[in-house]
Amino acid sequence: MEYKKGLVMEGGAMRGMFTVGIIDVLMENGIEFDGAVGVSAGAAFGCNYKSRQPGRAIRYNTRFCRDKRYCGYHSLIKTGDIFGAEFCYHTIPDELDVFDRKAFEENKMDFYVVCTDINTGKPVYKNLLRSGDEEMTWIRASASMPLASRIVEADGKMMLDGGMSDSIPLEFFESVGYNKNIVILTQPRGYIKHKNRAMPLIRLVYRKYPKLIETMEKRHDMYNAQTEYVAKAEKDGRALVFRPENPLPIGHIEHNADNLRRVYELGRKAATARLSQVKNFLS
């Protein structure tokens, strides 16, 4: 049987530093995939796998975590985005910590991002083969958290965070032919998601988008079903799963560089401990 090797990266805002630690170790050890799929922070940080830039995500996050242009309520009030769109998706990758667009495009690995179409409430999957402004817009859409971000338009679609409609896209990746997958979760085993306590505000803010509201009403059920699906794939030997041992000690936004490094190091430690297992699984 021919295997297509995939990498599946959950979101979770700054819990994504755990993911960054893992993928940096994998890159540093020459682990190659046929394709990757990232949701939200998994897309924003995971794109560095295709551009072959280990160390970049932890570097710019620790450098700019206290910068008002990067993230925080100052950015939310001023721009409508808690993570400043211009600064995060243009100033940093184009000027301050350059994203290697040439390497991204030369790497033949597929790189899918997941967004949520706010008119249908359904997930939208986009394979980013190039690395221009349009592709950055798709990554931004995937990571645009509801209530904390403006709606993003790309390819005629109005979109927000992919985690609302497909938080852990293992089933999607298997459906497009990836049958040997490394899955990186940012919640520990046994985590149960509960109904969003902000639903009253979500219903008010997004009242023009009833399908999106419907999706958000059911998000916890979708997420819990997906963690069960991942656990079964792990048991069946179709997936090798990384997850933190305990809840990660970090918030959705984080201004403390030491906390970012601490979670990053947890990811590095997890990947280093299981490196031989990863190589055996993918071979």
Side-chain angles (χ1 to χ4, degrees):
M1 180 178 180
E2 184 177 347
Y3 290 109
K4 283 187 73 175
K5 298 176 289 185
L7 174 64
V8 179
M9 294 169 283
E10 182 187 5
M14 284 305 160
R15 294 199 311 273
M17 286 295 100
F18 178 76
T19 301
V20 172
I22 292 170
I23 65 176
D24 276 2
V25 169
L26 299 184
M27 281 191 277
E28 290 162 5
N29 284 274
I31 305 297
E32 299 281 350
F33 295 93
D34 299 302
V37 57
V39 183
S40 193
F45 302 150
C47 62
N48 293 290
Y49 214 112
K50 186 169 167 66
S51 66
R52 304 180 192 274
Q53 290 179 279
R56 180 173 177 269
I58 184 61
R59 185 173 60 239
Y60 74 72
N61 273 282
T62 52
R63 179 181 174 187
F64 298 115
C65 63
R66 297 185 67 85
D67 193 313
K68 292 180 179 179
R69 298 170 295 173
Y70 183 58
C71 67
Y73 293 107
H74 178 272
S75 175
L76 180 61
I77 293 167
K78 186 175 181 180
T79 70
D81 295 297
I82 201 161
F83 287 89
E86 182 65 26
F87 190 73
C88 292
Y89 298 100
H90 295 286
T91 304
I92 290 177
D94 293 342
E95 302 172 20
L96 301 178
D97 198 320
V98 175
F99 181 65
D100 194 336
R101 297 174 186 268
K102 184 173 183 290
F104 184 94
E105 294 185 7
E106 289 177 349
N107 188 344
K108 299 304 181 184
M109 180 181 82
D110 288 331
F111 186 75
Y112 287 85
V113 299
V114 187
C115 306
T116 299
D117 186 319
I118 64 170
N119 287 300
T120 66
K122 302 294 184 183
V124 180
Y125 307 95
K126 179 74 170 180
N127 188 7
L128 304 184
L129 301 176
R130 302 189 63 81
S131 61
D133 288 345
E134 180 182 345
E135 286 73 23
M136 284 294 174
T137 300
W138 276 92
I139 293 174
R140 177 188 159 206
S142 181
S144 289
M145 297 182 290
L147 301 179
S149 310
R150 291 173 291 169
I151 294 166
V152 179
E153 182 177 359
D155 284 358
K157 295 179 172 61
M158 307 297 286
M159 297 182 292
L160 282 171
D161 193 335
M164 295 187 291
S165 55
D166 192 352
S167 298
I168 311 167
L170 174 60
E171 190 170 3
F172 159 73
F173 227 34
E174 289 180 337
S175 77
V176 294
Y178 289 89
N179 48 10
K180 200 83 168 175
N181 291 291
I182 302 289
V183 182
I184 305 176
L185 305 181
T186 58
Q187 296 284 13
R189 187 185 297 274
Y191 172 79
I192 301 295
K193 184 177 283 294
H194 299 287
K195 192 167 185 176
N196 194 329
R197 290 178 294 180
M199 279 311 303
L201 183 57
I202 288 170
R203 292 188 200 100
L204 176 64
V205 173
Y206 299 111
R207 58 190 177 277
K208 295 180 180 178
Y209 307 102
K211 294 294 185 180
L212 178 66
I213 294 172
E214 184 178 326
T215 294
M216 289 295 288
E217 291 272 12
K218 299 176 181 177
R219 185 189 177 188
H220 60 296
D221 292 329
M222 175 272 294
Y223 184 90
N224 295 333
Q226 287 190 326
T227 57
E228 290 182 9
Y229 185 90
V230 169
K232 186 176 188 307
E234 182 179 30
K235 183 178 180 181
D236 293 346
R238 306 194 317 271
L240 188 153
V241 183
F242 284 97
R243 50 174 76 79
E245 293 182 3
N246 300 295
L248 294 171
I250 199 164
H252 274 77
I253 59 174
E254 181 58 67
H255 299 300
N256 187 322
D258 289 339
N259 286 345
L260 292 168
R261 291 190 192 96
R262 190 172 296 114
V263 172
Y264 172 76
E265 290 299 332
L266 289 173
R268 288 193 65 92
K269 181 180 178 182
T272 301
R274 300 178 68 189
L275 193 58
S276 295
Q277 187 182 5
V278 167
K279 291 178 179 179
N280 290 337
F281 175 79
L282 293 176
S283 66

